[in-house]
Amino acid sequence: MAAAVGRICGARLLKNYGIVAPQVCQLSTSAKGWTKNRKLWLSTLGVVGGGVGALLFALEQSVQASGTEAHPYHQPWSHDGWFKSFDHASVRRGYEVYKQVCKACHSLQYIAYRNLVDVTHTEEQAKAEAAEVMVKDGPDEEGNYFERPGKLSDYFPSPYPNENAARAANNGAYPPDLSLIVSGRKGGEDYIFALLTGYVEAPAGVVLREGQNYNPYFPGGAISMAQVLFDEAAEYTDGTPATASQMAKDVATFLRWCSEPELDDRRLMTIKAIGMFSMLAAVVYYYKRHKWSSLKSRKLAYKPVSKK
Amino acid sequence: MSLWATLNRNVFKRTSTFAVAVAGGTFFFERTFELISVSLFENINKGKLWKDIKDKYE
């Protein structure tokens, strides 16, 4: 690649002209620009590159219209937007839904109880949450493994000891770990919400195997997870009515937090970056004007050489 | 003598005082910049952050 660029532009691209030379070059007829051939080469390269890019984009767009699955609606998430943080009350309710419903089948192995502190729970509450579960620990002094109540530093325990056990309990389908599911699925939390609330009767002609259900948002339509969210399927400690869509929204928000716990920090960083870069832009603008002021206000006078 | 000229003569001319000015300036700039950014963030997201809602659960 570098060789090709080098052939087209010659050493011109790499050569250091100093600060004023590029400016002077514009004002003088003596400095040579690119030859016709070079220009031709470069414009061909540009046209071909742009064309290939546009073609790839068009192909990608058209693929979305084929396929059988329904595309999830975009929901108005409260953390959508450049500066919008998570709704932490919703994340907390989502944790409650996970704990009461999803945890029976899905692991969440990359989240630890300490991660909940100051996000959805106070330290005492998080400790109490951890103490509710038993985790395997060991070996102790005699070399035995034992069970103990969880501590803040423990990760969420998985419902099954391994993937095979999970498959055996779910008709051969593996309930995936949910820690990174929002990042791992096209559509993110919109998909999770649509999936959880989108169960319908299988249309005529669709054959479902034992233990399968029909969900138009799941690629292929036949999903081995039954509908799990019904009104009052979970209980909220803050008194919010636990409707199916409320729970789907909260658990999707919670899972987004699991995938991107740093989202709040990133939103804050956006604000800081905009502030910092606008100040720098002002400096750069001033500096540019400063440097060009002499060039723009000067006058060139050509004095004919006397014949004598 | 304008303020700028005073500053120039007493602070920016000597490298040692200039370096001190840079370090001190950085400190105060960073603190105010941080304060402003965070308060903007917390204002935009009032009611959603953990610090706003934690009293509800105790």
Side-chain angles (χ1 to χ4, degrees):
Chain A
M1 186 66 209
V5 171
R7 192 156 316 133
I8 294 164
C9 310
R12 235 165 260 251
L13 269 190
L14 306 174
K15 192 168 158 193
N16 181 8
Y17 290 98
I19 291 219
V20 282
Q23 301 164 1
V24 171
C25 163
Q26 296 294 320
L27 302 171
S28 163
T29 46
S30 72
K32 271 184 278 162
W34 285 351
T35 64
K36 213 171 170 192
N37 240 339
R38 244 176 221 145
K39 278 187 192 155
L40 198 75
W41 257 101
L42 270 184
S43 23
T44 320
L45 208 75
V47 168
V48 170
V52 168
L55 184 72
L56 285 181
F57 180 73
L59 282 177
E60 162 75 13
Q61 289 305 99
S62 72
V63 163
Q64 290 191 2
S66 58
T68 51
E69 74 271 19
H71 295 285
Y73 270 99
H74 181 64
Q75 307 293 343
W77 301 103
S78 77
H79 52 264
D80 255 4
W82 282 27
F83 312 127
K84 299 295 187 63
S85 75
F86 277 123
D87 180 354
H88 285 247
S90 180
V91 178
R92 183 183 167 110
R93 287 194 298 271
Y95 166 74
E96 290 170 355
V97 175
Y98 169 76
K99 183 177 144 191
Q100 294 170 37
V101 184
C102 322
K103 194 176 146 183
C105 303
H106 289 279
S107 58
L108 199 59
Q109 55 179 343
Y110 297 115
I111 305 294
Y113 285 98
R114 64 185 155 76
N115 297 133
L116 301 177
V117 175
D118 286 349
V119 175
T120 59
H121 291 73
T122 61
E123 194 173 330
E124 272 62 49
Q125 289 166 346
K127 274 182 185 154
E129 290 295 324
E132 278 177 27
V133 302
M134 295 301 279
V135 297
K136 204 175 155 195
D137 199 356
D140 63 8
E141 285 139 31
E142 276 119 52
N144 299 317
Y145 288 88
F146 57 94
E147 299 251 308
R148 60 160 173 79
K151 294 186 289 195
L152 271 189
S153 55
D154 287 316
Y155 284 82
F156 284 18
S158 304
Y160 304 106
N162 52 56
E163 182 175 335
N164 289 1
R167 280 189 193 281
N170 288 286
N171 282 313
Y174 175 56
D177 184 81
L178 293 183
S179 312
L180 296 166
I181 199 84
V182 170
S183 300
R185 289 292 180 274
K186 188 149 186 277
E189 55 269 61
D190 288 325
Y191 170 70
I192 306 292
F193 182 88
L195 188 78
L196 292 174
T197 55
Y199 285 87
V200 288
E201 283 290 314
V206 173
V207 194
L208 297 175
R209 279 192 283 116
E210 163 89 32
Q212 285 192 322
N213 304 270
Y214 187 75
N215 192 316
Y217 295 101
F218 188 69
I223 184 169
S224 296
M225 173 169 83
Q227 180 171 2
V228 286
L229 293 183
F230 301 94
D231 291 354
E232 313 295 331
E235 218 173 283
Y236 285 141
T237 49
D238 64 359
T240 308
T243 61
S245 60
Q246 175 76 45
M247 288 184 288
K249 175 218 151 193
D250 289 336
V251 82
T253 310
F254 171 68
L255 292 178
R256 172 70 183 262
W257 171 76
C258 294
S259 294
E260 277 177 41
E262 80 292 352
L263 182 132
D264 284 3
D265 288 337
R266 280 213 323 266
R267 300 295 195 245
L268 175 58
M269 205 50 83
T270 307
I271 295 178
K272 285 188 186 171
I274 290 179
M276 198 57 96
F277 279 118
S278 40
M279 276 183 247
L280 290 180
V283 171
V284 168
Y285 179 71
Y286 173 83
Y287 198 69
K288 184 259 170 190
R289 300 276 301 212
H290 179 70
K291 284 289 169 193
W292 276 82
S293 58
S294 60
L295 262 174
K296 287 203 166 182
S297 57
R298 76 181 178 176
K299 199 171 194 172
L300 295 183
Y302 290 99
K303 203 170 156 197
V305 181
S306 98
K307 292 258 170 57
K308 197 162 56 108
Chain B
M1 193 161 55
S2 72
L3 181 69
W4 187 248
T6 326
L7 260 182
N8 234 343
R9 176 161 321 153
N10 298 331
V11 181
F12 297 154
K13 261 200 170 156
R14 201 174 299 124
T15 306
S16 56
T17 50
F18 185 54
V20 170
V22 166
T26 312
F27 179 77
F28 286 106
F29 173 78
E30 202 277 337
R31 286 322 309 155
T32 32
F33 186 77
E34 172 86 14
L35 221 71
I36 294 170
S37 309
V38 168
S39 74
L40 263 176
F41 176 75
E42 288 178 350
N43 255 313
I44 293 172
N45 295 303
K46 215 181 202 89
K48 296 202 293 177
L49 300 170
W50 173 245
K51 82 179 192 39
D52 298 334
I53 61 166
K54 68 175 169 205
D55 307 326
K56 279 199 251 168
Y57 302 112
E58 280 164 351

PDB file of all heavy atoms in Angstrom, chain A residues 70 79 85 102 105 253:
ATOM      1  N   ALA A  70     -38.270 -10.818  12.798  1.00  0.00           N
ATOM      2  CA  ALA A  70     -38.751  -9.441  12.911  1.00  0.00           C
ATOM      3  C   ALA A  70     -37.663  -8.585  13.534  1.00  0.00           C
ATOM      4  O   ALA A  70     -36.879  -9.073  14.344  1.00  0.00           O
ATOM      5  CB  ALA A  70     -40.007  -9.411  13.779  1.00  0.00           C
ATOM      6  N   HIS A  79     -31.302   5.812  29.054  1.00  0.00           N
ATOM      7  CA  HIS A  79     -29.846   6.025  28.937  1.00  0.00           C
ATOM      8  C   HIS A  79     -29.427   6.242  27.487  1.00  0.00           C
ATOM      9  O   HIS A  79     -28.245   6.211  27.180  1.00  0.00           O
ATOM     10  CB  HIS A  79     -29.089   4.851  29.538  1.00  0.00           C
ATOM     11  CG  HIS A  79     -29.518   3.517  29.004  1.00  0.00           C
ATOM     12  ND1 HIS A  79     -30.441   2.730  29.638  1.00  0.00           N
ATOM     13  CD2 HIS A  79     -29.177   2.850  27.883  1.00  0.00           C
ATOM     14  CE1 HIS A  79     -30.640   1.637  28.938  1.00  0.00           C
ATOM     15  NE2 HIS A  79     -29.882   1.679  27.865  1.00  0.00           N
ATOM     16  N   SER A  85     -27.319   9.150  31.654  1.00  0.00           N
ATOM     17  CA  SER A  85     -26.823   8.046  32.481  1.00  0.00           C
ATOM     18  C   SER A  85     -27.895   6.971  32.589  1.00  0.00           C
ATOM     19  O   SER A  85     -29.016   7.135  32.109  1.00  0.00           O
ATOM     20  CB  SER A  85     -26.490   8.551  33.874  1.00  0.00           C
ATOM     21  OG  SER A  85     -27.685   8.768  34.585  1.00  0.00           O
ATOM     22  N   CYS A 102     -34.707 -15.013  35.792  1.00  0.00           N
ATOM     23  CA  CYS A 102     -33.712 -15.498  34.840  1.00  0.00           C
ATOM     24  C   CYS A 102     -32.657 -16.390  35.482  1.00  0.00           C
ATOM     25  O   CYS A 102     -32.112 -17.290  34.834  1.00  0.00           O
ATOM     26  CB  CYS A 102     -32.994 -14.331  34.174  1.00  0.00           C
ATOM     27  SG  CYS A 102     -34.043 -12.932  33.809  1.00  0.00           S
ATOM     28  N   CYS A 105     -32.073 -20.221  35.140  1.00  0.00           N
ATOM     29  CA  CYS A 105     -31.477 -20.877  33.973  1.00  0.00           C
ATOM     30  C   CYS A 105     -30.186 -20.205  33.496  1.00  0.00           C
ATOM     31  O   CYS A 105     -29.306 -20.874  32.967  1.00  0.00           O
ATOM     32  CB  CYS A 105     -32.452 -20.888  32.806  1.00  0.00           C
ATOM     33  SG  CYS A 105     -34.020 -21.679  33.172  1.00  0.00           S
ATOM     34  N   THR A 253     -32.498  -3.082  30.860  1.00  0.00           N
ATOM     35  CA  THR A 253     -31.621  -2.014  31.348  1.00  0.00           C
ATOM     36  C   THR A 253     -30.519  -2.598  32.229  1.00  0.00           C
ATOM     37  O   THR A 253     -29.346  -2.238  32.113  1.00  0.00           O
ATOM     38  CB  THR A 253     -32.433  -0.990  32.161  1.00  0.00           C
ATOM     39  OG1 THR A 253     -33.562  -0.595  31.408  1.00  0.00           O
ATOM     40  CG2 THR A 253     -31.594   0.233  32.483  1.00  0.00           C
TER      41      THR A 253
END
